[in-house]
């Protein structure tokens, strides 16, 4: 059975690396790429199409249209980009936190119940082809002299509702190395992956997100308020 995928992103963020063959030079190019290449034949795209412009509608109308798309999806991709947040604007007044919050709701319509979506945060490269603004690699040495290569997620560089749904497993497996807490396994309900790794094996990440949604969701403290 195919997955229905909604994409949450900052359309006009132009602080991302350009994609060959795409000419908007914003995050929208990455959405177009996914629609053109990476949904399998059984998957359904619930992101808006490029010619589907909601900006001229009233806010309540936009919310209604987005609710329908998210309610009818099973996975939400959150595209992490350097300029995703408008610093001077309250988070509750920005679309991405609202879309993430609605993706995590439980709602019944016409006797059909929709549970929280599986969630994947896909980190896009910045203008320097780097992911370090959000996802960097670090080397730590433990007390026995063993070297550990770890992935460091800078959750402070995103919206509150996203960071509160990362490292939110109720009983995580952890260790402490050089004063830092290291998490093992699926410690976050929102899975994090770099763009290059994601497009190389989209179905694996879809499967991981669906496994958390369908089989392990009770292991996590979900935060649902933007």
């Amino acid at each position: 059975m195919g997955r229905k995928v909604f994409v949450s992103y900052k359309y006009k963020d132009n602080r991302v690396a350009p994609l060959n063959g795409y000419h908007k030079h914003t995050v929208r190019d990455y959405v177009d790429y996914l629609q053109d290449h990476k949904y399998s034949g059984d998957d359904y795209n619930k992101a808006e199409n490029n010619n589907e412009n909601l900006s001229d509608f009233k806010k309540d109308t936009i919310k209604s249209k987005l609710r329908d798309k998210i309610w009818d999806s099973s996975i939400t991709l959150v595209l992490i980009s350097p300029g995703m947040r408008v610093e001077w604007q309250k988070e509750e007044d920005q679309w991405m936190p609202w879309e993430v919050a609605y993706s995590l709701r439980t709602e019944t319509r016409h006797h059909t119940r929709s549970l929280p979506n599986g969630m994947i945060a896909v980190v896009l490269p910045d203008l320097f082809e780097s992911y370090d603004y959000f996802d960097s690699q670090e080397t730590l040495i433990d007390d026995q002299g063993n070297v550990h290569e770890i992935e460091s997620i800078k959750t402070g560089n995103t919206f509150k509702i996203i960071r509160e749904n990362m490292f939110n497993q109720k009983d995580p497996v952890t260790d402490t190395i050089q004063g830092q807490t290291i998490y093992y396994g699926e410690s976050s309900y929102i899975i994090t992956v770099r763009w290059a790794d994601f497009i190389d094996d989209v179905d694996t990440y879809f499967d991981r997100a669906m496994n958390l949604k369908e089989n392990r969701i009770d292991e996590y403290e979900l935060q649902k308020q933007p």
Side-chain angles (χ1 to χ4, degrees):
M1 183 177 180
R3 284 69 57 102
K4 297 182 180 181
V5 183
F6 178 81
V7 184
S8 179
Y9 65 104
K10 181 68 173 179
Y11 188 112
K12 294 183 179 180
D13 185 3
N14 61 2
R15 292 164 57 187
V16 291
L19 277 176
N20 288 336
Y22 294 84
H23 307 292
K24 295 182 181 67
H25 304 297
T26 72
V27 175
R28 177 67 213 194
D29 283 342
Y30 289 81
V31 180
D32 290 343
Y33 181 91
L34 290 172
Q35 292 176 338
D36 291 343
H37 300 289
K38 288 300 175 181
Y39 291 116
S40 72
D42 291 331
D43 295 329
Y44 298 92
N45 164 37
K46 303 301 294 186
E48 80 273 27
N49 296 317
N50 191 37
N51 60 356
E52 186 180 4
N53 184 2
L54 299 180
S55 60
D56 292 334
F57 290 98
K58 293 181 179 179
K59 189 171 184 178
D60 287 346
T61 302
I62 296 173
K63 278 191 174 183
S64 178
K65 291 178 178 293
L66 291 175
R67 283 191 189 100
D68 289 344
K69 288 178 177 291
I70 299 171
W71 187 88
D72 194 35
S73 63
S74 54
I75 292 175
T76 295
L77 298 184
V78 182
L79 301 190
I80 304 293
S81 60
M84 64 190 296
R85 291 187 300 169
V86 180
E87 298 293 343
W88 51 264
Q89 191 175 22
K90 293 181 179 179
E91 291 195 5
E92 57 265 31
D93 294 331
Q94 299 183 52
W95 282 112
M96 289 186 69
W98 182 86
E99 290 168 345
V100 171
Y102 197 73
S103 295
L104 291 167
R105 86 284 171 249
T106 298
E107 185 180 7
T108 300
R109 292 188 183 185
H110 309 299
H111 308 293
T112 300
R113 192 179 187 208
S114 178
L115 298 174
N117 279 8
M119 305 290 296
I120 306 172
V122 181
V123 186
L124 305 184
D126 66 17
L127 289 168
F128 302 99
E129 302 281 354
S130 173
Y131 299 93
D132 287 351
Y133 71 93
F134 193 81
D135 177 9
S136 60
Q137 304 294 320
E138 294 187 26
T139 300
L140 299 179
I141 301 175
D142 64 24
D143 293 340
Q144 288 72 45
N146 300 310
V147 176
H148 300 262
E149 300 293 338
I150 68 164
E151 181 181 27
S152 179
I153 307 298
K154 301 177 178 65
T155 58
N157 291 343
T158 188
F159 294 107
K160 176 175 178 285
I161 191 170
I162 295 176
R163 64 176 173 266
E164 287 186 345
N165 285 289
M166 292 178 171
F167 304 106
N168 63 330
Q169 194 174 29
K170 295 175 183 176
D171 189 21
V173 178
T174 65
D175 196 2
T176 302
I177 303 175
Q178 291 184 214
Q180 295 191 44
T181 301
I182 310 302
Y183 292 81
Y184 298 95
E186 299 284 21
S187 57
S188 301
Y189 188 73
I190 300 181
I191 297 167
T192 303
V193 57
R194 294 182 174 191
W195 169 260
D197 296 325
F198 178 68
I199 62 171
D200 190 52
D201 195 2
V202 167
D203 286 336
T204 290
Y205 292 98
F206 282 174
D207 289 344
R208 282 177 58 189
M210 289 301 294
N211 180 49
L212 297 188
K213 164 188 169 70
E214 294 176 346
N215 302 314
R216 298 179 57 183
I217 195 168
D218 290 342
E219 297 179 19
Y220 299 89
E221 292 283 359
L222 296 186
Q223 304 300 320
K224 303 182 181 183
Q225 296 298 319

